[in-house]
Amino acid sequence: MKVALITGITGQDGSYLAELLLEKGYMVHGIKRRASLFNTDRIDHLYQDPHDPNQRLKLHYGDLTDSMNLTRIIQECQPDEIYNLGAMSHVKVSFDMPEYVGNVDGLGTLRILEAVRILGLEKKTRIYQASTSELFGGMPENKNERGFYDENSPLYPRSPYGVAKIYGFWITKNYREAYDMFACNGLLFNHESPRRGETFVTRKITRAVAKIALGLQEKVYLGNLEAKRDWGHAKDYVRMMWMILQADKPEDWVIATGKTTTVRDFVKLAFGVLNIEIEFKGEGVSEKGYITSCNNENFSIEAGKEILSIDPSYYRPTEVDLLIGDPKKAKEKLGWIPEYSLKELIKDMVFADLELMKRDLYLRKGNYNELNKHS
């Protein structure tokens, strides 16, 4: 039985990856940070009884800032594969916490690589490092001849998050070359799901759509509607993570859909899932979104209602306007093909948030019969 260790197992990617590996028969170890509140919502359905001898998921308290702790866990687990998904991954917040993000996202990667080296596991353990499209910085002159960012594009991070991740990217390459480790970077472009954190723009949008439709929220405030991103489904991306560590040799890989969409169009598509049409008026910070029609008998929203405004505080100090990746290498060498379209992704997220908000609504009203139907 193969053994895998996942840092960041309680996050979006970690939870989907744990599901995938368990389905493939792995013994899965996960590292979670100690907190006064339970933070295992995304994996509770996988983690039933720690006393069950057949339980193939085991959790360990740990932190990427604690090298002794990481070394002990790796020594105990003796993993065949390590997936380093743990990070402070919110780009905007990284400007407020630059030292912390450098310690976790940059040096945290080094601590894992060095633990594997010190323990003499270089030939046994394969390592996946979750890199990011933020390394490219959206610089137009750094695209390839097809107009995309690929594995050979120059790097120009434009946030403390990106700068920390570029250290993790290069230290992974360095240990691969210096110690002959099977260590790979996955340069993941934006990937979303119903398990995405609530502060990320896509999830903020789909939650707002559900709340506005149910009358639980008047409007949503967003930042740069012109920003364009290459959005895919997290399920597709964690499948590629696994494929990367099954390859014949260690390499770095871009994981992307090759398609880009503005935040504005993402908003339109999200409302469209519920047959609610919206339009935008104004420019810049004065731009606003309005309901033009609601063709869904389950909701009552008047045409002309303002449901979106711009909050300049959500703009980044250095904005990345366009990110689009070239997955050609992944498709040709590993046969990776995304199974979810953007519309399917958004539909998945909107309906999941709609069910979540319905439960909240019924709980507020004390309607426990309806609450049980949506549990």
Side-chain angles (χ1 to χ4, degrees), residues 82-94:
I82 294 177
Y83 297 86
N84 183 29
L85 312 185
M88 201 307 288
S89 57
H90 197 289
V91 177
K92 177 65 170 65
V93 175
S94 76

Side-chain angles (χ1 to χ4, degrees), residues 86-226:
M88 201 307 288
S89 57
H90 197 289
V91 177
K92 177 65 170 65
V93 175
S94 76
F95 285 96
D96 301 322
M97 306 174 66
E99 180 180 348
Y100 176 77
V101 76
N103 193 8
V104 174
D105 298 12
L107 292 177
T109 306
L110 170 64
R111 292 180 182 111
I112 289 175
L113 293 164
E114 186 67 357
V116 169
R117 186 189 70 82
I118 290 173
L119 294 170
L121 298 175
E122 303 100 314
K123 302 303 179 184
K124 171 183 173 61
T125 304
R126 297 187 171 196
I127 301 170
Y128 172 85
Q129 166 61 15
S131 197
T132 170
S133 59
E134 292 290 330
L135 296 191
F136 299 116
M139 305 303 286
E141 63 270 25
N142 292 343
K143 296 178 185 177
N144 63 20
E145 66 279 359
R146 300 175 63 219
F148 300 88
Y149 298 103
D150 63 18
E151 293 81 2
N152 298 312
S153 297
L155 307 178
Y156 196 105
R158 306 193 70 209
S159 66
Y161 169 71
V163 171
K165 279 291 190 177
I166 205 170
Y167 179 88
F169 174 85
W170 280 110
I171 200 65
T172 299
K173 290 172 70 76
N174 180 257
Y175 269 63
R176 180 170 73 214
E177 296 168 359
Y179 302 112
D180 195 26
M181 284 187 177
F182 198 107
C184 310
N185 287 292
L187 291 108
L188 279 69
F189 280 68
N190 295 68
H191 49 290
E192 319 297 320
S193 76
R195 299 180 190 174
R196 188 57 145 153
E198 297 170 6
T199 60
F200 290 84
V201 67
T202 51
R203 187 74 194 288
K204 183 178 180 179
I205 291 168
T206 59
R207 282 172 61 86
V209 168
K211 284 186 172 184
I212 291 169
L214 293 170
L216 296 172
Q217 181 173 320
E218 287 297 311
K219 63 193 295 187
V220 60
Y221 291 88
L222 298 176
N224 183 13
L225 298 181
E226 292 290 339

Side-chain angles (χ1 to χ4, degrees), residues 235-276:
K235 286 185 177 180
D236 285 328
Y237 285 48
V238 300
R239 179 166 49 86
M240 179 58 183
M241 293 176 191
W242 176 78
M243 294 172 72
I244 286 173
L245 291 195
Q246 314 314 308
D248 293 333
K249 63 178 183 177
E251 298 182 65
D252 301 323
W253 306 81
V254 163
I255 311 176
T257 69
K259 300 176 182 178
T260 188
T261 307
T262 63
V263 173
R264 184 184 294 103
D265 285 340
F266 192 102
V267 174
K268 288 181 179 179
L269 289 168
F271 275 99
V273 168
L274 300 182
N275 292 321
I276 300 171

Side-chain angles (χ1 to χ4, degrees), residues 18-85:
E19 287 180 350
L20 177 69
L21 296 180
L22 289 170
E23 288 173 2
K24 292 183 177 295
Y26 280 65
M27 176 69 195
V28 177
H29 293 263
I31 297 178
K32 68 170 185 174
R33 287 175 296 174
R34 176 70 179 93
S36 58
L37 298 175
F38 289 113
N39 58 353
T40 58
D41 292 7
R42 296 183 179 98
I43 57 171
D44 282 345
H45 64 294
L46 302 175
Y47 191 68
Q48 302 299 328
D49 182 0
H51 304 293
D52 184 349
N54 297 316
Q55 174 70 252
R56 288 187 291 111
L57 174 63
K58 183 176 181 180
L59 299 182
H60 306 260
Y61 286 119
D63 197 290
L64 287 170
T65 64
D66 187 342
S67 59
M68 292 289 286
N69 171 262
L70 290 172
T71 303
R72 176 185 58 78
I73 292 172
I74 293 172
Q75 185 177 37
E76 289 179 3
C77 298
Q78 294 287 304
D80 299 291
E81 299 169 3
I82 294 177
Y83 297 86
N84 183 29
L85 312 185

